[in-house]
Amino acid sequence: ITEGTVAMERAYNAGAFAALRDARTKTPFRVASLGGGPGFELLAVREFCAARLPQAEPQLLSLDLQGAWRPCCEALGLRFEVWDVMDGDGLLGKTGWPAIDLAVISYVYYHYMSNEHCADWLARLLHAGAVKAVLIISRFEDLSQNLDAVARRGVHVVPLMRKPRHSRRPTDHRQLLYVSPTARELPTPLPQQEWLPCSFPNVPFEDQKAEADKSYRQRGTAFDYSA
């Protein structure tokens, strides 16, 4: 839940929810966790909306191949449907929604979606507007293969962690935002004075990084979300 919370905060600072933040009326916010298991990332989304996006009316759905997660999700007040990450064509129909405002993908991304097929359907749904944005929450610092696959298909990638420039490890892809460049408005980072501080500053763990590379030192620095 802590990783989901700070990912939402960083996406907020990157401008991902600007339209929702500025909405004057209650607005549906349809969030699907792909391969979401018990739905813990959705709990983070629900709490974040209650605290930071009061205009949002979150509709939360966990989709997973393992149906045994259903009672866990329902006990947490979440909807659950059985779905396979290889079935991109069936995703929207399984939700019953006109579109997914935010798809959250965590550990299933590296383990089961690091392939051309998943990159293809993910990019296709983003370009079609069926999925408006994707929030990646991973524990793997190097997702270069995944990033290359979606970039070749024209997906716009917004890194939410600071790119290492002074550290031994060259990448940090643990939190990312995907949008289509054909979207009506690409996310624009909020002015720094409007940024939310990280509720859990060292999440995900960054002690292996040089001090200047730590993402939680964003405030008061020239952090570039396009880097």
PDB file of all heavy atoms in Angstrom, residues 9 33 144 152 154 157 170:
ATOM      1  N   GLU A   9       1.066   9.833  -5.479  1.00  0.00           N
ATOM      2  CA  GLU A   9       1.554  11.181  -5.174  1.00  0.00           C
ATOM      3  C   GLU A   9       2.486  11.683  -6.270  1.00  0.00           C
ATOM      4  O   GLU A   9       2.387  12.843  -6.701  1.00  0.00           O
ATOM      5  CB  GLU A   9       2.264  11.180  -3.823  1.00  0.00           C
ATOM      6  CG  GLU A   9       1.307  10.992  -2.651  1.00  0.00           C
ATOM      7  CD  GLU A   9       2.006  10.699  -1.336  1.00  0.00           C
ATOM      8  OE1 GLU A   9       3.224  10.393  -1.347  1.00  0.00           O
ATOM      9  OE2 GLU A   9       1.345  10.770  -0.283  1.00  0.00           O
ATOM     10  N   SER A  33      -6.877  -2.587 -11.549  1.00  0.00           N
ATOM     11  CA  SER A  33      -5.572  -3.145 -11.227  1.00  0.00           C
ATOM     12  C   SER A  33      -5.419  -4.441 -12.014  1.00  0.00           C
ATOM     13  O   SER A  33      -6.155  -5.404 -11.786  1.00  0.00           O
ATOM     14  CB  SER A  33      -5.453  -3.406  -9.723  1.00  0.00           C
ATOM     15  OG  SER A  33      -4.166  -3.886  -9.385  1.00  0.00           O
ATOM     16  N   SER A 144      14.030  -1.912 -19.020  1.00  0.00           N
ATOM     17  CA  SER A 144      14.404  -1.401 -20.339  1.00  0.00           C
ATOM     18  C   SER A 144      13.715  -2.160 -21.467  1.00  0.00           C
ATOM     19  O   SER A 144      13.293  -1.552 -22.465  1.00  0.00           O
ATOM     20  CB  SER A 144      15.926  -1.466 -20.520  1.00  0.00           C
ATOM     21  OG  SER A 144      16.588  -0.680 -19.563  1.00  0.00           O
ATOM     22  N   ARG A 152       8.516   1.795 -28.920  1.00  0.00           N
ATOM     23  CA  ARG A 152       8.456   1.482 -30.346  1.00  0.00           C
ATOM     24  C   ARG A 152       7.043   1.543 -30.881  1.00  0.00           C
ATOM     25  O   ARG A 152       6.830   1.677 -32.091  1.00  0.00           O
ATOM     26  CB  ARG A 152       9.067   0.101 -30.604  1.00  0.00           C
ATOM     27  CG  ARG A 152      10.580   0.086 -30.587  1.00  0.00           C
ATOM     28  CD  ARG A 152      11.140  -1.249 -31.057  1.00  0.00           C
ATOM     29  NE  ARG A 152      11.135  -2.254 -30.007  1.00  0.00           N
ATOM     30  CZ  ARG A 152      10.309  -3.297 -29.961  1.00  0.00           C
ATOM     31  NH1 ARG A 152       9.384  -3.455 -30.909  1.00  0.00           N
ATOM     32  NH2 ARG A 152      10.389  -4.184 -28.984  1.00  0.00           N
ATOM     33  N   GLY A 154       4.930   3.870 -29.811  1.00  0.00           N
ATOM     34  CA  GLY A 154       4.499   5.263 -29.711  1.00  0.00           C
ATOM     35  C   GLY A 154       3.931   5.691 -28.382  1.00  0.00           C
ATOM     36  O   GLY A 154       3.325   6.763 -28.285  1.00  0.00           O
ATOM     37  N   VAL A 157       6.190   7.818 -22.196  1.00  0.00           N
ATOM     38  CA  VAL A 157       6.565   7.325 -20.873  1.00  0.00           C
ATOM     39  C   VAL A 157       7.011   8.495 -19.997  1.00  0.00           C
ATOM     40  O   VAL A 157       7.872   9.277 -20.386  1.00  0.00           O
ATOM     41  CB  VAL A 157       7.696   6.287 -20.965  1.00  0.00           C
ATOM     42  CG1 VAL A 157       8.107   5.812 -19.567  1.00  0.00           C
ATOM     43  CG2 VAL A 157       7.267   5.107 -21.825  1.00  0.00           C
ATOM     44  N   PRO A 170      22.364   2.283 -13.363  1.00  0.00           N
ATOM     45  CA  PRO A 170      22.056   3.337 -14.343  1.00  0.00           C
ATOM     46  C   PRO A 170      20.582   3.659 -14.512  1.00  0.00           C
ATOM     47  O   PRO A 170      20.238   4.646 -15.166  1.00  0.00           O
ATOM     48  CB  PRO A 170      22.628   2.763 -15.644  1.00  0.00           C
ATOM     49  CG  PRO A 170      22.485   1.281 -15.482  1.00  0.00           C
ATOM     50  CD  PRO A 170      22.704   1.004 -14.012  1.00  0.00           C
TER      51      PRO A 170
END
